[in-house]
Amino acid sequence: MDGTEVARGIVDTNTIILFERIADPTSLPSEPMITAITLAELSVGPLVTEDPTERALRQMRLQQAEADFDPLVFDAASARAFGRVASALRAAGRKPQARAFDAMIAAVAIANDLPLFTCNPADFGDIEGLDLRPVTHPDA
């Protein structure tokens, strides 16, 4: 980022999971937003682990996200943007199906003209029209 604070922006699922560990909060928007796709991904978390401690942590994270955010929906404008996102990924030799959730999150960001903040910028590479804002991964 260029040091300019961004008021509103979408934070992807991985970054929401790492949110409390991000060392530089100024690398995030002052008004973080999530998509319904992120909420869906977080909803899967508690159901796919056998570890009771991890399940409780994932459930807490899901409930916190539900309490803190009013997620942006994947609407008709997002669906149209998704077509462009999938096309760009194919043109770059990437399979949109492999990163379908990320592609849908990117489409919502594009449709709403919002930057997308992520600790995994490579997941969103080659997407034309996406205002991608890398966030330093806490484990980097």
Side-chain angles (χ1 to χ4, degrees):
M1 286 183 43
D2 62 6
T4 306
E5 185 175 322
V6 175
R8 297 175 71 215
I10 295 174
V11 180
D12 77 325
T13 308
N14 184 262
T15 307
I16 284 293
I17 291 168
L18 298 169
F19 207 74
E20 293 177 356
R21 295 181 47 217
I22 293 173
D24 181 10
T26 65
S27 67
L28 297 167
S30 57
E31 184 183 337
M33 307 169 84
I34 65 169
T35 69
I37 294 94
T38 288
L39 202 54
E41 286 187 286
L42 292 173
S43 295
V44 173
L47 303 174
V48 297
T49 182
E50 298 295 323
D51 181 298
T53 303
E54 182 64 22
R55 183 180 306 110
L57 174 66
R58 292 177 183 190
Q59 185 65 37
M60 180 189 70
R61 188 177 294 123
L62 167 62
Q63 290 171 323
Q64 191 66 55
E66 289 173 332
D68 290 348
F69 298 100
D70 185 16
L72 295 168
V73 299
F74 187 87
D75 58 9
S78 300
R80 286 189 294 278
F82 180 80
R84 295 190 308 274
V85 168
S87 175
L89 291 173
R90 286 178 201 252
R94 298 173 67 190
K95 294 183 178 181
Q97 301 90 330
R99 304 299 307 179
F101 294 134
D102 291 337
M104 292 174 75
I105 291 168
V108 174
I110 292 168
N112 288 278
D113 195 27
L114 291 167
L116 177 62
F117 294 78
T118 181
C119 292
N120 293 322
D123 291 349
F124 298 94
D126 303 314
I127 300 176
E128 187 176 326
L130 178 62
D131 181 2
L132 189 60
R133 307 293 178 99
V135 175
T136 301
H137 195 290
D139 296 334

